[in-house]
Amino acid sequence: MGNNGLVTRPASARAARLDQVCAAAVEVARDAITEVDASDIGDHLQAVAEGDRLVTHYFECRLAGYRGWRWAVTVTRVPRSRNVTVCETVLLPGTDAMLAPGWLPWQERLKPGDLGPGDLLPTPADDDRLQPGYLLSDDPAVEEIAWELGLGRARVLSREGRSEAAQRWYDGDHGPSAAISAAAPAAARCGTCGFYLPLAGALRQAFGACGNFYAPDDGRVVSADHGCGAHSETLIEAAETPVEEMPTVYDDSAVEPVAVSRAPGSVEAAEPAEPYGHP
């Protein structure tokens, strides 16, 4: 087959011309919207040519909850005919329409905390975060345990899995940008805290677990540059405040005098007399 480029011409993409008969059929298009009340159909917005003798009319949608949406009615006619017929009627979103978020598979919709008691979350066989346990790891701690105990876990964290976990922890509520960390003193960092328990392996350099019962991050993995006000070296001596003692005041006007006398026979006659008030 030879080159016939000189005898053929490419088809030119000609823009569709707006058919005036179809463009004038605004009321025909409006009457075709029968799914809702007439009050739910707003003003005519525009007429767009879709092809030869094929025009789509757009109307404002006034349905509650459909802000920015438009009714679209496509009409057409046969050649040399003045009768316009309706092809289809749909409700389409405009440029500023409120739309539902895009659909995501269930495994991508899961968020931390969604897994409850009794729920099962299967892990894909080709999960990039894991690798077979018999492969050598670039984490010395993993290699040491693998050689020491033999083949144990079927899969362990891969380099990508550790990197994802580290970045997620660092950017989360237990990293340096957390609100409690930003409000803590500059020197109150977890890496210098006595309650900080470093992790093993490659993550040891940047992460550890908090062991302070009174800290909000107790039992959680925190970054070494995270911080809070419960740092072990936050020592504040409470100043002793003297307690002011009020002087004792006696009000003689409120004292009621009482006469005291000895009962007959309470003292032997041979004993010497003692002044009142003596024990």
Side-chain angles (χ1 to χ4, degrees), residues 150-277:
L151 182 60
R153 293 177 293 171
R155 290 189 290 178
V156 296
L157 271 178
S158 63
R159 178 191 292 242
E160 182 177 351
R162 289 198 308 274
S163 177
E164 283 186 15
Q167 192 64 47
R168 185 173 61 252
W169 296 344
Y170 197 78
D171 296 337
D173 295 336
H174 311 296
S177 59
I180 191 172
S181 181
R189 301 298 101 182
C190 293
T192 59
C193 181
F195 299 105
Y196 180 73
L197 305 172
L199 297 184
L203 296 177
R204 179 186 181 91
Q205 300 177 1
F207 296 98
C210 177
N212 189 347
F213 175 77
Y214 299 102
D217 297 316
D218 179 41
R220 296 179 173 88
V221 175
V222 294
S223 65
D225 51 357
H226 182 68
C228 73
H231 194 278
S232 63
E233 305 311 313
T234 303
L235 306 176
I236 300 178
E237 296 182 359
E240 296 184 0
T241 303
V243 179
E244 297 182 1
E245 297 183 2
M246 299 297 294
T248 303
V249 178
Y250 295 96
D251 188 1
D252 295 339
S253 63
V255 177
E256 181 180 357
V258 178
V260 178
S261 61
R262 293 181 177 179
S266 60
V267 179
E268 295 294 336
E271 293 183 1
E274 295 179 355
Y276 287 139

Side-chain angles (χ1 to χ4, degrees), residues 97-114:
M98 295 179 60
L99 300 175
W103 182 84
L104 290 175
W106 66 269
Q107 63 268 25
E108 297 182 19
R109 295 198 302 268
L110 288 176
K111 300 296 182 183
D114 289 349

Side-chain angles (χ1 to χ4, degrees), residues 9-277:
R9 292 182 300 175
S12 59
R14 180 176 60 87
R17 186 176 60 180
L18 183 65
D19 185 80
Q20 297 301 319
V21 177
C22 292
V26 176
E27 296 304 321
V28 174
R30 182 186 295 272
D31 295 338
I33 307 174
T34 58
E35 296 88 351
V36 295
D37 297 334
S39 59
D40 296 325
I41 307 171
D43 299 334
H44 181 261
L45 300 177
Q46 64 178 142
V48 179
E50 306 289 354
D52 293 339
R53 297 178 299 278
L54 189 66
V55 176
T56 298
H57 292 271
Y58 291 93
F59 298 89
E60 178 188 4
C61 177
R62 294 179 178 173
L63 284 172
Y66 285 85
R67 187 186 67 187
W69 288 66
R70 302 180 299 175
W71 296 104
V73 182
T74 303
V75 298
T76 187
R77 68 182 180 92
V78 299
R80 295 186 297 276
S81 174
R82 309 291 295 181
N83 295 327
V84 176
T85 58
V86 177
C87 296
E88 62 177 356
T89 302
V90 294
L91 183 61
L92 299 177
T95 56
D96 58 342
M98 295 179 60
L99 300 175
W103 182 84
L104 290 175
W106 66 269
Q107 63 268 25
E108 297 182 19
R109 295 198 302 268
L110 288 176
K111 300 296 182 183
D114 289 349
L115 194 67
D119 295 338
L120 296 178
L121 181 60
T123 304
D126 57 348
D127 197 322
D128 295 334
R129 300 170 300 172
L130 299 171
Q131 66 182 13
Y134 57 80
L135 294 179
L136 289 179
S137 171
D138 58 348
D139 191 338
V142 176
E143 290 185 9
E144 180 181 352
I145 295 177
W147 284 108
E148 190 174 311
L149 302 180
L151 182 60
R153 293 177 293 171
R155 290 189 290 178
V156 296
L157 271 178
S158 63
R159 178 191 292 242
E160 182 177 351
R162 289 198 308 274
S163 177
E164 283 186 15
Q167 192 64 47
R168 185 173 61 252
W169 296 344
Y170 197 78
D171 296 337
D173 295 336
H174 311 296
S177 59
I180 191 172
S181 181
R189 301 298 101 182
C190 293
T192 59
C193 181
F195 299 105
Y196 180 73
L197 305 172
L199 297 184
L203 296 177
R204 179 186 181 91
Q205 300 177 1
F207 296 98
C210 177
N212 189 347
F213 175 77
Y214 299 102
D217 297 316
D218 179 41
R220 296 179 173 88
V221 175
V222 294
S223 65
D225 51 357
H226 182 68
C228 73
H231 194 278
S232 63
E233 305 311 313
T234 303
L235 306 176
I236 300 178
E237 296 182 359
E240 296 184 0
T241 303
V243 179
E244 297 182 1
E245 297 183 2
M246 299 297 294
T248 303
V249 178
Y250 295 96
D251 188 1
D252 295 339
S253 63
V255 177
E256 181 180 357
V258 178
V260 178
S261 61
R262 293 181 177 179
S266 60
V267 179
E268 295 294 336
E271 293 183 1
E274 295 179 355
Y276 287 139

